[in-house]
Amino acid sequence: MRRMTARQWIGWIGLALILLLAAAVAVWRGDILRAALDPQVPFQTYRPPPALNYADPKAWALLDARAPGAGPADVFFVHSTTFDGGSEWNGPIGDDKSDAYLRRVVLPNYAGPFARAGAVSAPRYRQASLYTRLTLRDDAREARAFAYGDILAAFDAWLARHPQGPIVLAGVEQGAELLDRLIRERIAPDKAVRDRLVVAYLMDTIVAVENLPARIPACGDRHQTQCVVAWAQVGENDEAPARRRLRRAVVWDERGHLVDLNRGQPVCVNPVLGGTGEAVAPARLSRGATNATGLEWGARPALITREVRTQCREGLLRHSWPNLDSIRAGGSWADQRKARPYNLFYGDLEADVAERLALYATRTPG
């Protein structure tokens, strides 16, 4: 039997080390990438980016943007997480990568369903980074709570621009989380503002039932206004992700801190049915899923109807997965952990807000 030379031994050992390293990267890739987004400084000593002046149009990603044939409402939309992280707990305004994702993915898919309801405004804000949604550390919770100050300032500036008429709120993921607090702390106590609220859409986030004010409850059906349509979605057979989502859920407490949901009950309003019931909504009722990524503002995407079966179950919105090439998660590791680059309920939301606006008009004098 021929003995290996020293050079061959070195070659085989080198190959083994390379294979071992590749295996380690494959196993711990998520941990490695997550660690790269960690700012590595306590939030208490962190210096956030400069604040915005919401009187400046540059502080808005959309400001009173109207699509053809838009209705009478003023829509306040709060976008989801678009900033990955790194050296910052809260994203600086004007980050090119973050802005590109906002324009290309988030606004067309999630603000788009409300384009025909009226004039849509979407503030930029010092959003908590993606990293803060991948950890339950106190620093991350504080960064998420910090973003609320910008949304409150933006809302007050927007309200001053729109002193009368019906208003609609909409937010997705982090944006919905921030609107949840805004509804309880700013809108519910102010009768003048509360009376103008048609509906609030808190998309793909967990809201505790006990967090909603009695005067602005979850929408029981489509014959209701001054209510909240909220849900957190998961595939109908995705049991492990469902348990993980509930286990990691945080909600606002009365002091404005994010605390564990624990045994709290999440709000689930089925966007297909428009109410809180747990009945199965068969796919034939679905008014249209779509991938609107890349569309210009005001362009209405093609809707694919009768594809998504839904049911509120154990506080989460369970849904079937349409067999459509356009409805697929893609992009980088970080992008796959943001709001989905498509909207399964685009057509349902578009119809829902139109119906509630019409109902509001019949109940509001003048």
Side-chain angles (χ1 to χ4, degrees):
M1 183 175 178
R2 184 179 176 185
R3 298 178 61 185
M4 289 192 296
T5 65
R7 179 176 294 180
Q8 288 173 322
W9 274 109
I10 292 171
W12 281 110
I13 291 170
L15 178 61
L17 289 173
I18 291 171
L19 292 174
L20 183 63
L21 180 61
V25 169
V27 172
W28 291 297
R29 177 173 178 265
D31 292 335
I32 294 169
L33 293 171
R34 186 181 294 109
L37 300 180
D38 186 345
Q40 302 291 338
V41 296
F43 187 79
Q44 291 84 349
T45 62
Y46 167 66
R47 296 185 63 182
L52 287 161
N53 174 10
Y54 288 103
D56 185 348
K58 293 180 182 178
W60 299 82
L62 294 173
L63 185 58
D64 296 334
R66 296 187 67 87
D74 289 306
V75 182
F76 185 78
F77 175 82
V78 186
H79 68 76
S80 58
T81 306
T82 62
F83 177 73
D84 293 351
S87 61
E88 302 277 1
W89 282 107
N90 293 81
I93 306 303
D95 178 77
D96 290 342
K97 182 180 177 183
S98 176
D99 280 357
Y101 195 85
L102 173 62
R103 290 192 305 270
R104 187 176 63 86
V105 177
V106 179
L107 294 178
N109 282 297
Y110 295 102
F114 309 102
R116 279 149 191 80
V120 181
S121 298
R124 303 182 187 279
Y125 65 103
R126 291 171 293 179
Q127 61 179 285
S129 70
L130 177 64
Y131 176 74
T132 68
R133 309 192 76 80
L134 304 177
T135 177
L136 294 176
R137 289 168 49 187
D138 287 343
D139 289 321
R141 299 184 195 212
E142 290 178 42
R144 289 164 71 169
F146 174 84
Y148 175 73
D150 282 5
I151 296 307
L152 177 59
F155 180 76
D156 283 341
W158 175 81
L159 205 60
R161 290 176 61 95
H162 306 95
Q164 57 187 5
I167 61 176
V168 171
L169 307 181
V172 59
E173 191 236 26
Q174 176 175 179
E177 177 180 279
L178 297 169
L179 284 180
D180 176 26
R181 183 174 171 186
L182 188 80
I183 289 167
R184 186 167 70 176
E185 295 185 6
R186 175 66 181 87
I187 297 173
D190 188 333
K191 185 179 185 304
V193 179
R194 191 176 69 242
D195 287 349
R196 295 174 57 197
L197 177 66
V198 179
V199 59
Y201 296 91
L202 308 186
M203 298 174 275
D204 205 14
T205 199
I206 288 182
V207 175
V209 170
E210 56 269 25
N211 267 14
L212 291 181
R215 293 167 175 165
I216 309 178
C219 297
D221 56 45
R222 280 225 169 91
H223 303 293
Q224 192 174 350
T225 58
Q226 294 178 330
C227 59
V228 172
V229 175
W231 75 88
Q233 65 200 64
V234 66
E236 60 185 357
N237 297 317
D238 295 341
E239 297 305 325
R243 289 193 298 271
R244 183 167 59 249
R245 183 148 204 190
L246 290 173
R247 187 176 65 248
R248 295 178 59 84
V250 294
V251 295
W252 300 105
D253 69 7
E254 292 182 353
R255 298 176 299 165
H257 297 159
L258 286 166
V259 298
D260 295 344
L261 175 67
N262 290 324
R263 296 183 180 275
Q265 179 64 27
V267 176
C268 185
V269 176
N270 191 324
V272 176
L273 299 177
T276 53
E278 294 189 350
V280 175
R284 61 181 171 78
L285 297 181
S286 170
R287 303 201 198 190
T290 194
N291 183 335
T293 298
L295 289 186
E296 294 293 327
W297 180 255
R300 190 169 184 267
L303 300 180
I304 305 165
T305 62
R306 306 170 68 89
E307 281 286 340
V308 183
R309 181 174 56 255
T310 53
Q311 181 188 21
C312 283
R313 192 168 80 240
E314 298 175 343
L316 296 176
L317 181 70
R318 306 299 188 108
H319 63 82
S320 62
W321 291 99
N323 186 24
L324 301 169
D325 289 340
S326 60
I327 308 296
R328 295 284 185 275
S332 67
W333 177 90
D335 288 350
Q336 291 177 35
R337 282 147 184 84
K338 298 171 185 170
R340 305 177 190 195
Y342 51 83
N343 191 336
L344 296 179
F345 311 112
Y346 192 110
D348 304 289
L349 292 168
E350 193 175 55
D352 189 277
V353 70
E355 289 182 34
R356 294 188 201 272
L357 268 171
L359 188 63
Y360 178 88
T362 65
R363 295 176 176 177
T364 305

